[in-house]
Amino acid sequence: MTDVEQIRSFDKLFIGGEWVEPATDKKIEVVSPINGKVIATVPDAQPEDMDRAVAAARKAFDEGPWPHLSPEERAGYLRRIGDEVKKRMPDMAAAFTVEIGAPQMIADAFHDNARKMWEDSSTLYQRFTFEEERSWEGGKGKLVREPVGVCAIIIPWNGPVATGSLKIGPALAAGCTVVFKPAPEGPVSVMMLAEAFDAAGLPPGVINVLPGGREAGQHLISNPDVDKVSFTGSTAAGRKIMESVAGRIGRVSLELGGKSAAIVTEDADLEKTLGSVVFAGLGNSGQVCAALTRVLVPRSRQEEFVTAMKAAYEGIKVGDPREEGVLLGPLAAKRQQDRVLDYIEVGKSEGARLVTGGGVPKGFEEGAFVEPTLFADVTRDMRIAKEEIFGPVIVVMPYDTIEEAIDIANATEYGLSGAVFAGSDEEAEKIARKIRTGQIGINNWQMVVTEPFGGYKQSGLGREGNVEGLSAFVENKLIMTP
Ligand code: NAD
């Protein structure tokens, strides 16, 4: 049995600027997907806790100084949070590695992203127009952008410190107050983030942190004192959240699933394309919303790509994410492993060709591991071509004309990311402009969260990152002056 060290447990929630006793003694057991053993516990926040946190955030918004501070003053606090996050990055990354199974290198990169996001949020006020003069036929006035109010921020487990920071930074920069509910999987690194908030000394109630499950989340968003919900996670949960707040016309921003395509043309360079496609599909065991999970290749080049991708996948070191050189750790949890293995069975039964992988790697049966898996001859009607698998499973889809490739790329309910690999950047850009997606790379792939990030279609609603991300946390008020 692989040994996984115990990591820090927490027994309090961060509400109203203090670490408080939870309403009940219910605990979330944090299970390491490396060996399936409990490595820590944190409180499992209940509806009563959520109500208490919303009341604290409401008070901080309605009575507190926070929404009325100048944007520069708030930026000072955000810089302090950034400094506190920086100090804790190695501890957060180490906890994340054992609680979610991300290889050290990926854990470090995610936490470095969090640092970048706090730096970015603390300079947003220099780029965002909080107030401007307007005039129109017969009048003039001021357009004032005010904070939307109390925000419920709900995130999944696949990169919680970075995902949380991407939302909370702009929310605070706008002058909102926040109740932050991370997922029950992987909450320890997030509780360390709560310690960074505490150390930065924001006014009480401006930010509250409570890990909890789906029901607690549902209770949180249903509280009428919540003005805005910002959510990242599955499309199914996003839809449910939207329905739940519809009655009060609640504001929502949703960053949801993806099934992003890499379109490879006749004259694309094999080596260059491979360099991007392999990493963009399998990073964090494929548990990335923007992952490139469909590779569209000309039928005449399918075998060339499949052979090269097979060799690359079989060369990837799978194993204990704490070990040097390991590129693929376990999935985040057993239930995620079960889901991915089910999808592999679905792919086989649909008639797709399993090229490599498809099972649990030998010697790693105790954890939540799945081999890097490649399917070829995948067609657009197959479920593995349409649904988000969220694991290390990539499908190669042959096409006959570039028009057909564009059509296939657009033929899912998603539209989050993508890439085009072609002989020239100009040709690639022409194709990219026809893909209905929020971000798309030309002969490269990135997930850029300091620029507008978000989805077309059922990949979400609204954008995060930069001033577009801040815009999601303000209301526009027109003051008509005499
Ligand atoms: P999920 O969307 O159900 O949960 C994400 C977060 O939302 C968690 O904090 C959860 O407690 C909360 N939540 C769920 N339902 C809620 C509700 N009705 N009201 C309020 N909060 C709610 O995701 P999951 O169950 O962890 O994963 C299932 C699948 O979702 C994955 O296999 C993957 O396909 C997809 N997923 C996508 C992303 C992404 O970034 N796009 C992230 C995680 C999961």
Side-chain angles (χ1 to χ4, degrees), residues 155 157 181 214 218 231 234 256 289 336 339 388:
I155 59 156
W157 37 264
K181 188 202 85 66
R214 190 163 295 195
Q218 179 68 41
F231 170 77
S234 64
L256 309 174
C289 50
Q336 196 61 24
R339 177 189 156 100
E388 184 178 54

Side-chain angles (χ1 to χ4, degrees), residues 53-110:
V54 172
R58 187 79 259 166
K59 187 163 190 280
F61 189 80
D62 291 345
E63 299 170 22
W66 189 253
H68 310 294
L69 295 181
S70 72
E72 290 89 328
E73 283 171 317
R74 286 196 295 266
Y77 284 100
L78 299 187
R79 272 195 298 279
R80 294 225 290 268
I81 296 174
D83 291 341
E84 295 298 332
V85 167
K86 226 187 284 177
K87 284 186 210 161
R88 292 165 174 80
M89 270 164 42
D91 289 346
M92 289 173 174
F96 183 60
T97 289
V98 289
E99 59 181 350
I100 291 300
Q104 192 70 53
M105 192 182 75
I106 290 193
D108 287 340
F110 275 16

Side-chain angles (χ1 to χ4, degrees), residues 3-22:
D3 235 21
V4 179
E5 67 276 21
Q6 293 291 305
I7 55 173
R8 276 181 65 197
S9 285
F10 287 78
D11 58 6
K12 295 203 166 62
L13 302 169
F14 188 60
I15 300 179
E18 289 173 34
W19 290 93
V20 303
E21 290 293 337

